[in-house]
Amino acid sequence: MIERYTRPQMKAIWELKHKYEIWLEVELQACAAFEKAGQAPRGTAAKIRKKARINVERIAEIEKVTKHDVIAFLESLMDTVGPEHRFLHMGLTSSDIVDTSLAVQMTEALDLILEGLDGFLEVLKTQAMRHKMTAMVGRSHGIHGEPISFGFKLAIWYEECCRHRTRLQAVRQEIAVGKLSGAMGTFAHQGPEVEEFVCAQMGLRPDPVSNQVVQRDRHASYATALALLAASIEKVATEIRHLQRTEVLEAEEFFSQGQKGSSAMPHKRNPIISENLCGLARIIRANSLAAMENVALWHERDISHSSVERVIIPDSTILMDYMLSKVTDLIKDLMVYPANMQRNLDLTGGLVYSQRLLLTLVEKGAQRKESYEAVQRNAMASWKGAGGLQELVGRDPFISQHLKKNEIAACFNPKYYLRHLDQIYRRVFGRKAAAAAGKRTGDRKSTRLNSSHMSESRMPSSA
């Protein structure tokens, strides 16, 4: 007896046997609808369910002759179903079964992806709280800008992934439609009530209007949402790759006991997970383009989309499931080096505080043009090795005319740049979570914002 299918794990969702199980369920539910309409004797669907056997090898054998997978599937059921077989597929077309079943598989896959995304969000939130006040230099164009915190960077990733969750939930609604509207979509041989019944039983909504297929803009939207999520995972991975560079080394992928980085160079510790994620993102993005090209079909349908979807939809969902698992572990086990962050923050001798110095001069009544020129003049001298910026501006006649020594010193305090983090965290994580993060960071003893942290801090798995 064929029981109702249950949702498997990602790889199994796309196995042939599971696909055929869903095909059979759609046919059985349609048969139940025929019973309600008086087109089949009562109990027909139950009899078929009891007798039906799915034989993947037998279907493949028949398909070699028919060159048609749905016909091969239906013919294979004749081996076990018996006379009731004639009530299967009445007034339906292949896409009624294929597209409705594909919608079930795509929602099953997306539910697993959403679960994985929730896990990733939880890890991002935990580490954003942990590193809320871990100061580091912000960079634009790859060049030092102004101080930020590592937690701030994680909060940005968290908020971005929340948007992905919203998109994916919307896409799930968009793809969760079925169609049993017949060969041209006009319900010529079965009324809309059959479609409505079957879709309700399969956890779907009827497509408001379809021709021979569900329109492929839905599938393109699905693939594009996955591509966008893949792009953000690549963004995270690219950042980790940059932070792990030897001359930066502010964060690093966890390097396990016995792991090897190079067959030639024993010292190597490479960001292999991050690099893999960047590569896999390219595949999912490319698949989204193929999905867009499936939207335009000839007239009421052709099958140019079919061969593409057999590759891109399983591949993209399986890859995304894998990517979410890997990026979650990457962030959970990330090696973070606050001392190196502080070292790099100090690397330019205070140049990152130039804007604060400029604005303070303006606040004290100096003209902006002259103030900019004075700060830039000393900054360029500092770049050339004349000394730290704080030291140089303290000797500058124009600047010392407007600012006292303690006012100059205040411009070089990194805490100034993080003073609105509480408000930002409330926006991103909500009031309670932000307050908890503030308590955690406030409990730590620190000088110059976390410079007293251990030089190597591995994020614990329980974090």
Side-chain angles (χ1 to χ4, degrees):
M1 177 179 177
I2 299 292
E3 301 293 340
R4 291 294 295 267
Y5 63 88
T6 56
R7 192 184 81 191
Q9 293 303 300
M10 185 62 77
K11 181 182 176 183
I13 287 172
W14 302 108
E15 289 178 351
L16 275 175
K17 186 173 187 296
H18 183 62
K19 181 177 77 169
Y20 294 145
E21 287 171 349
I22 304 174
W23 284 13
L24 178 58
E25 190 64 35
V26 173
E27 292 281 4
L28 288 169
Q29 295 301 335
C31 192
F34 302 155
E35 291 180 33
K36 290 182 65 176
Q39 296 176 323
R42 290 289 180 181
T44 298
K47 289 179 182 178
I48 295 173
R49 184 184 296 278
K50 187 174 182 180
K51 296 178 181 178
R53 296 290 180 271
I54 292 173
N55 186 326
V56 176
E57 291 75 18
R58 175 64 175 148
I59 296 170
E61 181 183 324
I62 298 171
E63 189 177 355
K64 287 179 182 178
V65 177
T66 64
K67 305 296 191 294
H68 195 293
D69 54 356
V70 175
I71 293 175
F73 166 76
L74 291 168
E75 288 189 7
S76 75
L77 294 176
M78 294 175 64
D79 297 342
T80 57
V81 168
E84 285 79 17
H85 183 274
R86 70 185 187 278
F87 296 109
L88 293 174
H89 210 69
M90 291 196 304
L92 302 181
T93 191
S94 298
S95 292
D96 290 335
I97 309 306
V98 172
D99 279 7
T100 303
S101 298
L102 180 59
V104 173
Q105 289 176 289
M106 291 174 75
T107 55
E108 288 177 342
L110 195 50
D111 286 342
L112 288 179
I113 288 167
L114 283 165
E115 286 179 16
L117 181 55
D118 284 343
F120 183 41
L121 282 166
E122 189 59 37
V123 166
L124 285 172
K125 179 179 178 180
T126 297
Q127 309 309 0
M129 299 303 172
R130 176 182 174 87
H131 288 282
K132 178 180 177 182
M133 300 301 290
T134 303
M136 66 185 298
V137 68
R139 298 169 172 92
S140 57
H141 308 279
I143 308 301
H144 285 200
E146 293 182 336
I148 60 170
S149 80
F150 188 54
F152 173 74
K153 193 183 291 285
L154 288 157
I156 289 173
W157 297 344
Y158 176 91
E159 174 66 14
E160 187 168 338
C161 286
C162 285
R163 293 194 295 276
H164 287 302
R165 196 181 197 288
T166 300
R167 287 190 197 101
L168 290 172
Q169 288 173 321
V171 163
R172 192 193 186 285
Q173 290 294 314
E174 194 172 341
I175 200 63
V177 298
K179 64 91 61 183
L180 284 89
S181 55
M184 291 295 107
T186 61
F187 299 100
H189 306 289
Q190 293 293 347
E193 63 277 0
V194 171
E195 180 181 77
E196 291 168 4
F197 178 87
V198 174
C199 287
Q201 297 303 308
M202 302 302 297
L204 306 173
R205 294 174 292 108
D207 194 345
V209 59
S210 57
N211 45 33
Q212 194 169 95
V213 295
V214 170
Q215 302 307 289
R216 259 43 197 178
D217 64 292
R218 296 180 186 272
H219 304 72
S221 180
Y222 184 100
T224 300
L226 293 180
L228 283 168
L229 177 54
S232 290
I233 293 175
E234 181 185 18
K235 170 183 175 177
V236 171
T238 299
E239 182 70 15
I240 300 303
R241 291 169 66 188
H242 281 304
L243 295 179
Q244 187 165 334
R245 285 180 296 137
T246 307
E247 60 272 26
V248 177
L249 201 55
E250 294 178 355
E252 182 184 28
E253 290 185 9
F254 177 61
F255 197 82
S256 60
Q257 185 71 30
Q259 185 175 336
K260 305 293 187 292
S262 166
S263 63
M265 298 169 283
H267 72 278
K268 294 299 291 295
R269 293 161 65 106
N270 301 327
I272 56 171
I273 296 173
S274 298
E275 290 173 341
N276 286 342
L277 290 171
C278 289
L280 294 177
R282 298 169 190 167
I283 297 174
I284 296 181
R285 272 200 301 276
N287 287 349
S288 71
L289 177 59
M292 290 183 194
E293 293 178 344
N294 278 347
V295 173
L297 303 177
W298 285 24
H299 304 297
E300 278 55 63
R301 83 75 70 113
D302 61 58
I303 63 166
S304 60
H305 67 285
S306 178
S307 56
V308 178
E309 288 172 356
R310 291 170 194 243
V311 176
I312 66 171
I313 297 177
D315 279 7
S316 290
T317 53
I318 291 169
L319 285 177
M320 180 51 66
D321 189 50
Y322 175 80
M323 289 176 71
L324 282 168
S325 174
K326 298 304 286 186
V327 76
T328 299
D329 288 343
L330 171 65
I331 298 301
K332 181 176 68 176
D333 296 328
L334 193 67
M335 310 286 286
V336 178
Y337 303 106
N340 288 352
M341 291 177 174
Q342 188 67 50
R343 179 203 68 198
N344 290 335
L345 185 56
D346 297 336
L347 189 65
T348 60
L351 289 177
V352 296
Y353 303 103
S354 67
Q355 181 177 196
R356 176 67 183 139
L357 185 61
L358 166 64
L359 294 177
T360 303
L361 284 167
V362 174
E363 288 168 7
K364 293 296 182 177
Q367 292 299 311
R368 181 181 177 86
K369 182 176 184 297
E370 288 80 359
S371 299
Y372 190 102
E373 289 172 350
V375 175
Q376 186 183 47
R377 178 172 63 250
N378 286 281
M380 295 304 104
S382 180
W383 270 117
K384 294 176 182 178
L389 183 60
Q390 185 174 350
E391 172 194 352
L392 293 176
V393 299
R395 299 198 302 260
D396 186 280
F398 176 85
I399 294 175
S400 57
Q401 174 187 344
H402 292 87
L403 299 179
K404 299 174 184 177
K405 284 188 176 181
N406 65 320
E407 291 173 327
I408 291 174
C411 294
F412 291 80
N413 185 350
K415 289 183 179 179
Y416 173 85
Y417 295 84
L418 308 184
R419 70 192 192 282
H420 294 304
L421 276 183
D422 283 345
Q423 186 175 351
I424 293 171
Y425 268 52
R426 283 195 297 272
R427 287 179 173 182
V428 175
F429 301 108
R431 227 169 252 285
K432 288 184 179 179
K439 185 177 186 304
R440 288 178 66 181
T441 54
D443 287 344
R444 297 177 185 158
K445 295 179 180 178
S446 62
T447 60
R448 293 201 68 193
L449 285 176
N450 292 306
S451 60
S452 65
H453 273 234
M454 295 173 8
S455 61
E456 179 177 309
S457 168
R458 183 184 171 204
M459 297 180 176
S461 296
S462 59

